[in-house]
Amino acid sequence: MSPDSPSINLTHHFLIAMPGLEDETFSRSVVYMCEHNKSGAMGLIINKPGMFSLRHLFDKVELPLRRDDLMQAQVLHGGPVQTERGFVLHDPMVLDNKDKGEAVYAATLSVPGGLEMTTSRDVLEALSHGAGPRRVLVTLGYASWGEGQLESEIGENSWLTVEADASIIFETPLEQRYERALSLLGLQPWMLSHDAGHA
């Protein structure tokens, strides 16, 4: 990407893998972008099942899970970086006695215009008590790109981009999220071409 290229900010967007992206981790993936700036980008894959359930994860961290709505939820494979670390994507949390802009949990990234992503144990503790965010998606690992790397991959026709829709993250069955994300662009998988410049 040349220095005078206009910068793009894909925070709170979906990256949708094009058919030519055959990497095992990213093939047919949808990535929710938590952060994107001139230094690089970070996101969570929202449609790749991991090895176990949320209930199993809570057993591993020795917490009870007292949220019936989450008992059957799957822990997802969020990306190839730090795959032993948990990331909780959730609706923004606001407590009356907190200062505006102050996060409820110890380690939370507030995505401008979008969701929150928490990596500290306190969000799991809240869920274990039957509280916490109403809608959550838990991954192990995340995806990241260095400076200019994501822009280059988009230029090589590896990704489509569209503003994120939280209902796809939290309310759409895992196996339908790729098609639903494409539908935000008015596309279906069969319409996509492997050739650059065509959709």
Side-chain angles (χ1 to χ4, degrees), residues 38 53-54 64 77 82 87 101 123 126 136-137 155 160 187 189 192 194:
K38 63 180 190 238
S53 68
L54 203 51
H77 175 57
Q82 293 191 2
F87 298 82
V123 68
V136 299
L137 176 141
L160 293 170
L187 298 172
L192 299 180
H194 287 267

Side-chain angles (χ1 to χ4, degrees), residues 1-198:
M1 199 166 102
S2 64
D4 56 351
S5 297
S7 64
I8 55 172
N9 185 340
L10 296 173
T11 303
H12 187 56
H13 279 64
F14 287 144
L15 296 184
I16 307 168
M18 286 290 283
L21 190 55
E22 294 174 352
D23 176 278
E24 185 180 349
T25 299
F26 292 109
S27 174
R28 285 183 61 87
S29 68
V30 180
V31 183
Y32 176 77
M33 298 305 296
C34 299
E35 198 168 36
H36 184 211
N37 54 44
K38 63 180 190 238
S39 303
M42 179 267 178
L44 301 173
I45 301 173
I46 63 158
N47 67 328
K48 297 275 180 157
M51 302 297 286
F52 45 81
S53 68
L54 203 51
R55 188 173 184 175
H56 179 74
L57 176 68
F58 272 73
D59 286 345
K60 281 179 74 112
V61 296
E62 299 179 350
L63 288 172
L65 180 55
R66 296 193 180 97
R67 284 273 301 265
D68 290 342
D69 58 317
L70 300 176
M71 286 294 188
Q72 304 305 317
Q74 186 88 11
V75 174
L76 302 187
H77 175 57
V81 184
Q82 293 191 2
T83 54
E84 71 296 332
R85 188 171 177 202
F87 298 82
V88 183
L89 192 61
H90 56 86
D91 287 318
M93 294 290 289
V94 179
L95 290 184
D96 296 338
N97 60 348
K98 290 276 187 182
D99 293 334
K100 189 167 176 55
E102 187 182 349
V104 172
Y105 303 114
T108 296
L109 170 69
S110 291
V111 180
L115 304 171
E116 291 183 344
M117 190 267 297
T118 298
T119 57
S120 48
R121 182 182 168 96
D122 51 357
V123 68
L124 298 181
E125 290 169 349
L127 294 171
S128 82
H129 295 304
R134 186 174 71 84
R135 302 186 300 180
V136 299
L137 176 141
V138 180
T139 77
L140 290 177
Y142 67 95
S144 71
W145 292 262
E147 182 180 353
Q149 184 182 359
L150 181 57
E151 291 82 352
S152 295
E153 290 182 12
I154 291 169
E156 292 161 3
N157 206 41
S158 295
W159 302 100
L160 293 170
T161 64
V162 66
E163 187 170 346
D165 178 343
S167 70
I168 293 176
I169 298 170
F170 298 121
E171 296 161 23
T172 302
L174 207 55
E175 65 279 2
Q176 295 174 23
R177 290 177 190 170
Y178 183 75
E179 287 79 6
R180 277 288 312 281
L182 280 175
S183 74
L184 296 175
L185 292 165
L187 298 172
Q188 295 176 28
W190 62 265
M191 297 174 170
L192 299 180
S193 165
H194 287 267
D195 302 323
H198 296 83

